[in-house]
Amino acid sequence: MSKVSLYQHIKDHIVQGIGAGRWKPGDRLPSESELVVSFGVARMTVNRALRELADQGRVRRVAGVGSFVAEPRPQGTLLRIASIAADIQARGHVHECRVLAAQAAPLPAECALAMGMEVGESAFHSECVHLESGVPVQYEDRWVNPRQAPDFLAQDFSRIPPGDYLVASVPYDEIEHVVDAVLPTREQARHLAMGRQEPCLLLQRRTWYQNETVTLVRCWHPASRYRLGSRFTV
Amino acid sequence: MSKVSLYQHIKDHIVQGIGAGRWKPGDRLPSESELVVSFGVARMTVNRALRELADQGRVRRVAGVGSFVAEPRPQGTLLRIASIAADIQARGHVHECRVLAAQAAPLPAECALAMGMEVGESAFHSECVHLESGVPVQYEDRWVNPRQAPDFLAQDFSRIPPGDYLVASVPYDEIEHVVDAVLPTREQARHLAMGRQEPCLLLQRRTWYQNETVTLVRCWHPASRYRLGSRFTV
DNA sequence: AAGTGGTCTAGACCACGGT
DNA sequence: CCGTGGTCTAGACCACTTA
């Protein structure tokens, strides 16, 4: 009983196949006619799925040749959803995620408004501190729409951080970032082992899937230990 | 003898109509069936044109109601080079640019390194404070590669801010943004009329043209009066 | 009830590239 | 030559909104 459209189902199948490493950048994807057979749909439907992936730059199509997985474009923290665990490991350091909270809770007004949900509606809430080789670098406060990620609370966040789980398992098609500079609360300063007069870089991210909010996350970073960046060609 | 596709032709027609002011934001566009008649094409062709415009956010479609010109989407300071003057005026406020400095000077080591130029090499330097209806919102410190923008110092920055001049007159093909949270120096706090314990959002931008740095600019914003953001579809 | 957009079908013709 | 993607057609059914 899928309520998603056929073309979306095909898109998801391909995106997931790429994400799972079943197809790597440069690999050839099944042709339209092959997908027509394997999904039992009309060619226009397959065509739309592949065309939209090509428009997004995830697939490169060459008439007369075939469809191929595109090279991922390198992007900074502000242009994608960064995995703090992967970033830390890429720097050769050890990542640790301390889970402070992970349960269902009624949405506070401010978050409900930001997520387009009802005040007091039950949603999933998690709080974590991420450490880089023992030094805290991020305090993460997250709310998750249970309709989009019903299995969220069943995860072990000390093994796979909330953000990594969501990126890997829950689809999204739109991202908003808002960056602020703030001073930490007493609690935050304690968790981040920083002074209360030191500034924090606050990154708030909202993601949507088909116009419904998936997650609202606010990440506080001690500015002395973390920066945000992006680089792109115009 | 049109060499463009039919759906592209319909897209162009609508985009041009919006650009020419024939349809304004919120206005209702012709329905699919009306466009089918006026262009003499199949409904799928019209549908593709409107759907792609909706995907780009230029058109908002409501099933059962119609298609409408979308409100122009604020793209966010982090994904483009924002004109602070235009942003302030778009909010209905008055922009003023106080020029603190504008001359050639030897590059300090830190900036030379960031720009890939020689330490002590002569470059153009400007410092400005931008005010929104009299309230300072940005302190801007800029270095410019004289090879890329030889006429930089001949401009009147109180009329056209340095950034607006460069965007309009000097080409670039790559942008890097780095965001930091810092406390202001005594000088900066004075120029921005803020307390020294209030955090600043620091946006550093570098631009390149054909692998040569065009400009390095650092903009300090009182966090209580300014945020950075971006929103995009993946 | 009538009109809208959302999706899907089963064909079709074309330009292109590799065999 | 044949398979590829790019485009287009002329229908269709559906859910939805508005009158």
Side-chain angles (χ1 to χ4, degrees), chain A residues 5-7 40-45 48 63-65:
Chain A
S5 49
L6 295 178
Y7 80 89
V41 298
R43 192 185 146 221
M44 275 295 283
T45 305
R48 176 169 174 185
V65 182

Side-chain angles (χ1 to χ4, degrees), chain A residues 64-183:
Chain A
V65 182
S67 300
F68 305 86
V69 179
E71 299 293 330
R73 336 160 234 187
Q75 299 177 139
T77 316
L78 292 169
L79 293 182
R80 59 183 173 107
I81 300 184
S83 161
I84 187 167
D87 287 353
I88 287 172
Q89 281 155 15
R91 286 193 286 271
H93 293 166
V94 178
H95 169 260
E96 184 191 344
C97 177
R98 287 195 190 140
V99 183
L100 307 177
Q103 78 276 316
L107 269 176
E110 176 198 6
C111 299
L113 186 66
M115 296 178 76
M117 296 172 70
E118 301 294 324
V119 178
E121 186 177 348
S122 179
F124 299 151
H125 182 232
S126 67
E127 279 180 64
C128 300
V129 175
H130 296 269
L131 300 93
E132 177 161 0
S133 297
V135 179
V137 292
Q138 180 184 108
Y139 171 84
E140 171 193 338
D141 182 300
R142 182 184 295 270
W143 289 89
V144 174
N145 183 341
R147 287 187 294 276
Q148 297 277 351
D151 301 328
F152 182 70
L153 291 180
Q155 312 306 313
D156 176 3
F157 294 139
S158 63
R159 202 171 53 82
I160 300 178
D164 288 40
Y165 164 71
L166 288 173
V167 165
S169 306
V170 180
Y172 57 92
D173 53 27
E174 191 156 9
I175 303 175
E176 181 197 68
H177 283 149
V178 178
V179 181
D180 227 329
V182 297
L183 295 178

Side-chain angles (χ1 to χ4, degrees), chain B residues 149-161:
Chain B
D151 300 329
F152 182 70
L153 291 180
Q155 312 305 312
D156 176 4
F157 295 138
S158 64
R159 202 170 55 81
I160 300 178

Side-chain angles (χ1 to χ4, degrees), chain B residues 113-172:
Chain B
L113 186 63
M115 296 179 74
M117 295 173 69
E118 300 297 323
V119 178
E121 185 178 349
S122 178
F124 300 150
H125 182 233
S126 68
E127 279 180 64
C128 301
V129 175
H130 297 269
L131 299 94
E132 176 161 3
S133 297
V135 180
V137 292
Q138 180 185 107
Y139 171 84
E140 172 194 335
D141 182 300
R142 182 184 295 272
W143 289 89
V144 173
N145 183 341
R147 287 187 294 278
Q148 297 277 351
D151 300 329
F152 182 70
L153 291 180
Q155 312 305 312
D156 176 4
F157 295 138
S158 64
R159 202 170 55 81
I160 300 178
D164 289 40
Y165 163 72
L166 288 173
V167 165
S169 306
V170 180
Y172 57 93

